[in-house]
Amino acid sequence: MKTDTMEPAGAAGASSQTAGFGLSPGAAPGAARAASPGRSADPLASGAAPVATPPATPGSAHAHALAAADERRITGIRARAVNVPLEYPVRTGVGVVATAPLVLIDLQVGEVTGHAYVFTYTPLALASTRAMVQALGEAIRGQPAAPFDIDRHLASRLRLLGRGGIAGMACAGLDMALWDALARLQRLPLATLLGGSPRPLPAYDSHSMDGEALALERAARAVDAGFRAIKTKIGYATLAEDCRVVGALRRRIGDGVQLMVDYNQSLSVPEAARRLRALREFDPAWVEEPTLQEDYAGHARLRAAAELPIQMGENWCGVEEMQRALEAGACDLAMPDAMKIGGVTGWLKAAALAERHGLPVSSHIFQEVSAHLLAVTPTAHWLERMDLAAPILAHPLAFRDGMAQPGEEPGSGVDWNEEAVARYLA
């Protein structure tokens, strides 16, 4: 089995995008554990008081326990920014995402490296997001690789700043990389580490506000590839145009393929109510974010009047926002985003909350890690196929007959194609 290892700390030629990866120059392997015999190295970093520890006799059980603990400490962080081309620009009712600006995260735990990425939506946020990932990664260097403990630690460090926006994205990316590293340490797929197993998952092909001709072309390709569900973004200038595109798609794919529509928060509540009434004849499987995502009361009114399933969740920043939406009765379906909900750790909390409320859970982008998360989600529904990172991955997630096919390799399946990464560095 292949084991990921990183270059030793202090290697010459480190750029601003790779600096800080590995132990500090000259540090011994145990430096992150203990600064002096019998004392913990940095009690303030963990919020604990200094605790005396007995000396470790070579070969003793205590020495073996200390060595094992060191193998599971965070020893390095590297964050790199890339701007990746997309096969199709993501056109929405509120703007266009022309490329996939990603921050790639490598988190070293002992001799293993976990990988993850975050999506900044605009290249304008790449530099600041990369810097935040690097800084927060340095803040957890030397700590045990315990995701729930790290989650609490970062929440405490960011209490006054808050964990929204770029800070929350960075925390979630580090969390995903940490879980990936732990799965690699155990030589298990992430789903297996979480108590489930990788399995084929029903996926829908996610399309943009493409106009009628391209929408029909992409729909035909998706159906030919075996997808049994397609999503299209709408929110055209007029209701007539929405109906023209959705009606043409329904006729092309027939009644045997589910059709979802996504307004990307582009409508007022009254306008959304008018358009949703007109869409009923096309039998959409869901209507996604018809109005501002934070308007939970507005979504609840639309849900009551529209007689169509309302989907939301990709913009919930943390489980607390999800809980407020569910308490308001804002949606019939839930779609957490692995980055915005808080990484793997946040997703597990969200999945438990959705189960308690009886809500089917679909994923939003981040398809590689989402395939493992849905495998352990009690109310798993659909995986969204949108290949944002495929050009820089060594092995993109496979799809066959409309099903996502997560592999059995250790981790989440995220590994870099370094030649492509070098080509798209930003």
Side-chain angles (χ1 to χ4, degrees), residues 40 43 47-51:
S40 59
V51 177

Side-chain angles (χ1 to χ4, degrees), residues 79-123:
R80 294 176 287 175
V82 295
N83 199 18
V84 179
L86 293 172
E87 182 180 7
Y88 297 100
V90 182
R91 302 184 185 279
T92 77
V94 294
V96 178
V97 178
T99 59
L102 308 174
V103 174
L104 313 185
I105 303 170
D106 299 306
L107 193 71
Q108 189 170 347
V109 176
E111 295 301 317
V112 169
T113 303
H115 308 299
Y117 63 88
V118 296
F119 174 49
T120 70
Y121 291 85
T122 169

Side-chain angles (χ1 to χ4, degrees), residues 30 46 63 128 138 146 148 150 154 216 223 247 255 280 284-285 293 321:
S46 62
S128 54
E138 296 294 347
F148 283 91
I150 294 295
L154 290 176
L216 293 175
V223 172
D255 295 331
R280 289 177 192 163
Q293 80 88 24
E321 290 194 1

Side-chain angles (χ1 to χ4, degrees), residues 234 239 243 246 250 259 261 263 272-285 287 301-309:
I234 55 176
L239 170 58
C243 290
V246 175
R250 173 54 74 200
L259 178 62
V261 297
Y263 272 109
R274 186 173 79 95
R275 296 199 184 198
L276 267 58
R277 284 193 297 271
L279 290 175
R280 289 177 192 163
E281 67 173 293
F282 307 116
D283 191 28
V287 179
R301 293 201 304 274
L302 291 171
R303 180 186 174 207
E307 299 178 6
L308 292 173

Side-chain angles (χ1 to χ4, degrees), residues 348-371:
L348 295 176
K349 299 173 186 177
L353 185 60
E355 182 183 25
R356 185 161 66 86
H357 285 264
L359 261 66
V361 172
S362 298
S363 64
H364 178 252
I365 59 177
F366 299 99
Q367 60 190 35
E368 300 81 18
V369 68
S370 295

Side-chain angles (χ1 to χ4, degrees), residues 45 72 96 211 241 251 315 378:
R72 286 168 172 76
V96 178
E241 193 169 2
R251 290 188 293 274
N315 288 299

